[in-house]
Amino acid sequence: MVTCYIRYIIDASKLKQFEHYGKLWIPLVEKFGGRHHGYFLPSEGANNVALALFTFPGLAEYEQYRIQMADDADCRAAFLYAEETQCIVSYERSFFRPVFA
């Protein structure tokens, strides 16, 4: 199991646009076999940092998702929305493996 953690720097004046972007991606990740754990928007503290977490059974399944999403019209539309609204300034992606009791 691998969890993808994405830390976004967003344009704080475009929070509603970023929230819409996040809502576009949740079903798309699940469409390709992942489990989305949600987007986490600023509340207290920094007003320009948002997070997303989603899990795939393994890194191979995540890589397959990356290949498939490149050809998916809904995924391309979500990327285009972010580009057009410029709600995302930058992001970094990291991967983690969970530890359970």
Side-chain angles (χ1 to χ4, degrees):
M1 182 180 294
V2 64
T3 298
C4 183
Y5 161 93
I6 305 176
R7 181 179 185 267
Y8 294 93
I9 301 301
I10 62 172
D11 182 332
S13 70
K14 297 179 180 178
L15 185 59
K16 288 185 183 196
Q17 290 88 344
F18 181 79
E19 184 172 353
H20 177 75
Y21 171 81
K23 288 179 179 180
L24 292 174
W25 274 106
I26 292 170
L28 293 173
V29 167
E30 294 180 356
K31 173 181 176 179
F32 293 106
R35 179 166 183 246
H36 212 293
H37 306 292
Y39 279 77
F40 300 86
L41 304 180
S43 178
E44 294 295 323
N47 69 347
N48 68 336
V49 177
L51 306 173
L53 293 163
F54 54 91
T55 300
F56 278 87
L59 198 53
E61 290 84 356
Y62 171 79
E63 292 298 333
Q64 188 62 34
Y65 150 77
R66 295 283 297 180
I67 292 167
Q68 291 174 324
M69 73 178 211
D71 292 329
D72 184 82
D74 293 330
C75 293
R76 287 194 310 271
F79 282 127
L80 183 60
Y81 176 81
E83 185 178 311
E84 289 174 345
T85 63
Q86 297 184 339
C87 59
I88 300 170
V89 175
S90 65
Y91 66 92
E92 60 186 41
R93 185 181 294 124
S94 300
F95 296 91
F96 297 89
R97 63 177 176 81
V99 176
F100 300 107

